[in-house]
Amino acid sequence: MKELQLLIKPVSSACNLACRYCFYMDEAGHRQVGDCGRMTEETAKIVIEKALAAAQTCVFGFQGGEPALAGLPFFEMFYAWVEKLKKPDQQVYYTLQTNGTLLDEAWLRFLKKTRTLVGLSMDGVRKTHDENRRGRDGEGTFSEVFDTAQRLKQEGIPFHILCVLTAETAARIEAIYRFFMRKGYLCQQYIPCLDPLGDRRGEEPYSLTPALYEEALKKLFDLWYEDKVKGVPVYLRQFENYVDMLLGGQPEACSMYGQCSMQNVIESDGTIYPCDFYALDEYQMGNLTDPELTFEFLQQKANAMEKGSFFETAGKRDDRCPGCRWYPLCRGGCKRDCYRIDGREKNYYCEAFQGFFAYAESRLELLADVRSRGRI
């Protein structure tokens, strides 16, 4: 195996915040065991040993809940064990997705020293952030997160802003983009909000509807495109991926693959799931503390697409996909956004993507042409 990416939940679903739209807390509530506790040192070492035995390049990503709740000593132990076991020719990278409220000066020194890429959750300006991202006391957390963003920037620690697209953020997307740019947060990702499992889409106060998503994508694209042609080094993951795909490249985001792939989501007790959006009992693929379970075997299971498994319908998307002119870029979107209605498979955001690609196609192709000439 050439490369292996892991998404590790060192404290399971535990979090010090109470965000209104938290998809992982929702998933945990649908499992027999919602919170698996803190990952033990023994389990961490097993994960590391099996990962380094499986691949030449390993990306250890940490997410939650809030992974920083595991404590800095846990991460120091984890990184030290990786350094001890990895071969001289192996490459290792680290990412940490965090709400940013627990990162003190000791954390910042560690992240800078280890060159960990930070994904910092910030839902735009104070009003839009505090609407949904609140502490256990019900108070908004914008001030704490903004302070962390400023310190990350000052220390030169690489970080991306992760902004969840909700009804609130989508409606104010222009102000949010301009705020991020004024503050020098040039690497941005905008992530569509998920409604609770089993609920009818679009009925929560924070729900992102197809119409809101389409309008937000168009406004974001206009702003991003204007800055790109000016030579501003701004990076919006989704749009950058579309340009790369037009040049024949492979997208980073799994929702752009056109088929679900093994995402190696590892709960704190070692249980492994195929996808962060399907960390449910029925999709468990085993536990890495089992001496017989390896990452190579898990990949073989994913490739086999066995009947009844998560991967049986790995490539199933909207029934309209095969005849859609936008499929080479859209690839059908995320499986979690697909549902069956009137005997047909449908992607909730299909019309939003159709409207967006029709709007942005010529400019995406122009940027791809410019990039192919090495000018951006």
Side-chain angles (χ1 to χ4, degrees):
M1 193 180 296
K2 185 177 179 180
E3 180 175 318
L4 181 65
Q5 297 196 33
L6 311 181
L7 185 58
I8 302 166
K9 309 230 177 223
V11 291
S12 190
S13 60
C15 188
N16 60 317
L17 301 190
C19 301
R20 295 169 71 194
Y21 55 62
C22 181
F23 81 88
Y24 203 71
M25 186 62 70
D26 175 50
E27 286 184 335
H30 285 78
R31 301 194 309 231
Q32 286 190 354
V33 179
D35 186 344
C36 302
R38 183 179 180 276
M39 181 174 280
T40 65
E41 183 172 335
E42 179 184 9
T43 299
K45 289 179 178 179
I46 291 171
V47 171
I48 294 165
E49 290 167 3
K50 291 189 174 183
L52 292 175
Q56 182 64 25
T57 300
C58 289
V59 181
F60 294 99
F62 300 95
Q63 196 172 314
E66 173 48 49
L69 283 171
L72 186 53
F74 171 86
F75 285 85
E76 291 172 331
M77 174 277 298
F78 193 104
Y79 283 43
W81 197 253
V82 171
E83 289 302 309
K84 179 180 179 180
L85 293 184
K86 80 178 186 72
K87 301 179 180 67
D89 61 342
Q90 280 185 304
Q91 292 182 304
V92 171
Y93 301 94
Y94 300 101
T95 67
L96 175 75
Q97 183 171 333
T98 176
N99 62 42
T101 63
L102 301 175
L103 302 187
D104 59 17
E105 296 306 316
W107 263 106
L108 294 181
R109 288 194 297 271
F110 174 78
L111 295 170
K112 185 173 184 177
K113 177 182 177 182
T114 57
R115 299 184 297 278
T116 299
L117 174 62
V118 176
L120 180 66
S121 295
M122 180 187 283
D123 283 1
V125 296
R126 182 182 300 275
K127 180 176 177 58
T128 55
H129 181 96
D130 286 349
E131 186 71 26
N132 290 308
R133 299 192 65 82
R134 302 173 181 174
R136 293 289 173 182
D137 58 1
E139 296 297 315
T141 59
F142 176 83
S143 295
E144 297 169 84
V145 179
F146 177 66
D147 180 64
T148 296
Q150 291 294 86
R151 289 185 294 139
L152 288 170
K153 182 184 172 187
Q154 290 165 6
E155 292 296 327
I157 298 169
F159 72 101
H160 288 202
I161 292 290
L162 309 180
C163 179
V164 176
L165 283 177
T166 60
E168 294 85 4
T169 54
R172 298 173 178 85
I173 200 64
E174 183 172 351
I176 289 170
Y177 176 88
R178 294 193 186 282
F179 168 71
F180 288 156
M181 295 302 291
R182 284 198 308 273
K183 298 302 178 182
Y185 307 157
L186 300 181
C187 295
Q188 305 165 24
Q189 296 181 35
Y190 294 88
I191 306 161
C193 183
L194 286 173
D195 285 324
L197 283 163
D199 285 9
R200 185 179 176 87
R201 298 294 296 258
E203 297 195 346
E204 296 292 336
Y206 53 76
S207 292
L208 179 69
T209 65
L212 280 171
Y213 190 31
E214 179 180 346
E215 190 63 22
L217 284 175
K218 289 177 178 179
K219 288 181 179 179
L220 268 177
F221 183 80
D222 286 343
L223 294 162
W224 172 79
Y225 180 81
E226 181 181 355
D227 280 337
K228 292 296 283 189
V229 297
K230 290 178 180 177
V232 178
V234 59
Y235 176 90
L236 265 67
R237 186 187 190 194
Q238 187 171 357
F239 300 152
E240 298 284 353
N241 272 243
Y242 290 145
V243 174
D244 286 342
M245 290 164 73
L246 285 169
L247 292 171
Q250 289 297 315
E252 297 173 274
C254 59
S255 61
M256 296 180 174
Y257 291 171
Q259 180 167 318
C260 297
S261 58
M262 182 63 185
Q263 297 299 299
N264 298 303
V265 177
I266 303 169
E267 257 291 353
S268 57
D269 65 348
T271 302
I272 190 161
Y273 300 91
C275 173
D276 202 22
F277 294 164
Y278 290 89
L280 301 166
D281 292 337
E282 57 264 39
Y283 299 116
Q284 289 184 12
M285 297 185 71
N287 192 297
L288 288 169
T289 60
D290 177 354
E292 301 298 318
L293 191 65
T294 65
F295 285 106
E296 293 91 343
F297 176 72
L298 289 165
Q299 189 59 57
Q300 290 170 8
K301 285 186 68 175
N303 293 341
M305 298 183 182
E306 297 173 350
K307 186 174 178 59
S309 74
F310 173 80
F311 293 101
E312 179 186 7
T313 57
K316 184 65 175 174
R317 296 296 185 269
D318 197 301
D319 286 343
R320 296 167 290 180
C321 285
C324 180
R325 65 171 294 191
W326 307 119
Y327 180 78
L329 280 177
C330 174
R331 307 278 179 90
C334 177
K335 180 177 178 177
R336 179 74 183 263
D337 291 326
C338 296
Y339 60 99
R340 195 161 187 83
I341 184 170
D342 298 329
R344 294 172 61 85
E345 288 292 326
K346 187 180 187 304
N347 184 298
Y348 183 62
Y349 294 121
C350 178
E351 286 75 17
F353 284 123
Q354 289 189 45
F356 167 71
F357 285 123
Y359 182 77
E361 175 193 22
S362 60
R363 285 177 287 172
L364 283 170
E365 290 178 341
L366 178 60
L367 287 177
D369 180 63
V370 173
R371 183 169 295 180
S372 70
R373 300 169 189 269
R375 295 179 183 174
I376 62 170

